[in-house]
Amino acid sequence: MPPITTSVFELFKIGPGPSSSHTIGPMAAAGAFAREAAGLPADLLTRSTGLSVRLFGSLSATGLGHGTDRAVLAGLSGYEPETCPPALLSEMDLGPGAAFPVRLGPVTLSVRPADVVFDALEHGYGHPNTLVFRLLAGEEVLLEKVAFSVGGGFIQWQDAPPEVEASPPYPYESMAELRAQLAASGLKLHELLLANEKCLTQRGSIEIEAGLDRIMAVMAEAVDRGLNAEGTLPGPIGLRRKAKVLSDRARRSPTVQAAADRLLVLLDAYALAAAEENAAGHTIVTAPTSGSAGVVPSVLAVMQRHLKIEPQALRAALLAGAAVGFLAKHNASISGAEVGCQGEIGVASAMAAAMLAYAHGFDLTVTENAAEIALEHHLGMTCDPVAGYVQIPCIERNAMGAVKAYNAFLLATVEDPGRHVMDLDRVIWAMAQTGRDMCPKYRETAQGGLALRPPEC
Ligand code: SF4
């Protein structure tokens, strides 16, 4: 396998909830398709009469609850995940008569919600999250592109020629290779990642640090918005937000007396806050996905607001967490449709555990052990969102992932690190195998588990 060439800014993407693979990825793919179509010869474009987008597999099974149709329409209309208004998708009107203009060079086509079709669950394309885009002239197909939304907002195009990737100065594709690079170079983990990031993004240190600060600021904004929001989340479940209740009670309730309990309840509240904002379709950061967008921000909030960890240590910790996400994405998957929730909440928890250890100044071994413990205890976790909405079990699962991250950090820092038996490469391998063996109905299709026992509304 080639070395890891994912940038931290690809792993931590800013965009609308509720799903990186079902919302951000499809939105980005739709935008890319529209741009490619706009580059066709003018005589071809003037013959075009419409566009169609067909969603297959998991995108068909849970795309409605994940806002995939809205994301595709927004992407075709020229919106981009990072810069679209925070409430664009949640406020989009898909009622009768709704139509969205798509500008393609000399022509402007009108696309209706019915042009985005939830197609077959079973299909012959190469990935569970498949989109087929077509530019049409009546029945004639002028341009067809097949995209796979592979998790975390990443898109792969079918039959795309292999990209010529930049070669990072410290290549690695496993934790063992990363350890060897660190030993040979004498660099600290965040220094090595920064050196690779400069090469991959062609940005300087100051620009990269500013980008890391922006990621953390958007995460903090999602937490704060969620802590101040009340009411019911979109969709048929009628789920009420509860981050604010937890936060208020942690601060005032006589039943939350002990300082340790208070910190735990606040960690829960921060995780619920960002996850509820994600479920509302508002702006979040994939970490590594949207469904798991509450874990890393909640741990960061505790480090910033309660443990008073300095900004420079937080930037370094974010890079350490990214390394865990890179390894999981490269050697297994961060897509619930491929490996279940272990690849989303499990990986997020491992990233957060590594961040806690690294921000506290622990060495590489402890940092790796923290990540390993957190991921190990998410192995086998299925993805079974009720009604196809990223709400139950997803929102509380973010709080559970955050608490497990904290406990993994404690376990890793209190034990004798040299005697830790399992390593990160082994647990990532086990996650990939477990995901491969997992019955498809537990991989983001809403056809098994809790999804079959929806509450009566
Ligand atoms: S159950 Fe987990 S993997 Fe599935 S949608 Fe929810 S957060 Fe994502």
Side-chain angles (χ1 to χ4, degrees):
M1 265 211 278
I4 290 170
T5 52
T6 308
S7 157
V8 67
F9 301 108
E10 294 174 302
L11 189 75
F12 294 119
K13 285 192 188 72
I14 297 168
S19 170
S20 50
S21 56
H22 289 51
T23 317
I24 293 178
M27 190 174 183
F33 177 77
R35 286 191 295 279
E36 180 164 343
L40 291 173
D43 59 329
L44 215 56
L45 287 172
T46 50
R47 288 177 47 219
S48 62
T49 55
L51 288 154
S52 92
V53 185
R54 306 191 84 82
L55 309 173
F56 291 90
S58 176
L59 293 180
S60 172
T62 61
L64 194 61
H66 288 56
T68 309
D69 48 349
R70 293 165 185 267
V72 164
L73 291 165
L76 290 172
S77 305
Y79 288 103
E80 296 188 15
E82 184 162 347
T83 51
C84 72
L88 173 75
L89 300 187
S90 58
E91 291 176 358
M92 192 181 265
D93 178 11
L94 299 192
F100 300 85
V102 180
R103 182 138 185 83
L104 301 178
V107 300
T108 300
L109 298 176
S110 189
V111 182
R112 295 162 299 122
D115 294 322
V116 183
V117 177
F118 293 93
D119 211 307
L121 185 57
E122 305 285 337
H123 61 91
Y125 294 103
H127 190 275
N129 292 331
T130 296
L131 306 99
V132 179
F133 295 94
R134 292 191 182 113
L135 175 66
L136 302 165
E139 297 292 303
E140 186 187 354
V141 178
L142 300 177
L143 177 67
E144 178 177 293
K145 299 284 289 182
V146 178
F148 306 131
S149 183
V150 297
F154 292 86
I155 290 294
Q156 284 172 6
W157 293 95
Q158 189 182 53
D159 303 328
E163 283 181 26
V164 182
E165 301 273 14
S167 303
Y170 302 101
Y172 65 94
E173 58 165 302
S174 65
M175 189 66 210
E177 290 183 10
L178 179 55
R179 261 187 252 120
Q181 288 284 15
L182 289 163
S185 65
L187 293 172
K188 292 185 175 150
L189 177 58
H190 69 283
E191 293 170 341
L192 183 148
L193 289 161
L194 192 60
N196 279 359
E197 194 66 29
K198 283 185 196 170
C199 167
L200 293 169
T201 62
Q202 297 297 301
R203 300 185 197 182
S205 303
I206 292 174
E207 207 182 339
I208 291 170
E209 289 195 354
L212 297 176
D213 287 348
R214 172 143 194 267
I215 287 167
M216 290 193 279
V218 176
M219 287 180 172
E221 284 163 18
V223 168
D224 287 333
R225 275 199 319 271
L227 289 178
N228 289 302
E230 294 178 274
T232 305
L233 292 167
I237 305 172
L239 190 67
R240 293 193 68 78
R241 289 175 179 257
K242 61 183 177 189
K244 185 174 188 312
V245 174
L246 262 74
S247 167
D248 289 347
R249 290 188 183 164
R251 293 190 164 89
R252 286 196 287 274
S253 169
T255 60
V256 186
Q257 292 284 2
D261 287 359
R262 205 160 34 243
L263 191 64
L264 209 53
V265 178
L266 283 170
L267 178 61
D268 283 336
Y270 298 150
L272 293 181
E276 286 170 357
E277 278 298 285
N278 177 61
H282 297 165
T283 304
I284 48 82
V285 181
T286 62
T289 66
S290 305
S292 58
V295 178
V296 166
S298 63
V299 166
L300 264 174
V302 163
M303 289 198 282
Q304 283 168 322
R305 302 173 195 197
H306 304 283
L307 305 181
K308 307 295 181 200
I309 291 180
E310 294 296 323
Q312 197 56 38
L314 293 176
R315 289 184 201 115
L318 198 60
L319 289 169
V324 175
F326 295 159
L327 290 164
K329 178 181 180 298
H330 192 76
N331 296 301
S333 170
I334 55 171
S335 165
E338 284 187 300
V339 295
C341 200
Q342 50 176 357
E344 297 203 14
I345 296 289
V347 173
S349 187
M351 292 165 64
M355 289 171 61
L356 278 160
Y358 204 70
H360 280 85
F362 287 96
D363 66 10
L364 182 68
T365 306
V366 173
T367 301
E368 178 186 349
N369 291 351
E372 187 283 318
I373 294 169
L375 186 54
E376 182 181 320
H377 300 292
H378 285 89
L379 286 181
M381 187 185 275
T382 59
C383 169
D384 53 356
V386 171
Y389 279 72
V390 191
Q391 297 181 7
I392 300 174
C394 319
I395 294 172
E396 285 181 356
R397 199 164 272 181
N398 276 270
M400 300 303 289
V403 171
K404 274 196 198 178
Y406 209 100
N407 204 28
F409 153 67
L410 294 176
L411 285 168
T413 53
V414 174
E415 71 174 353
D416 180 351
R419 296 194 171 192
H420 192 77
V421 174
M422 205 47 77
D423 65 28
L424 189 57
D425 285 334
R426 284 185 171 84
V427 78
I428 288 174
W429 178 88
M431 178 174 78
Q433 294 301 313
T434 308
R436 219 161 280 149
D437 294 341
M438 197 178 274
C439 176
K441 67 184 180 183
Y442 294 114
R443 294 190 305 216
E444 208 162 356
T445 58
Q447 296 200 330
L450 281 177
L452 297 185
R453 288 289 178 273
E456 287 175 17
C457 305

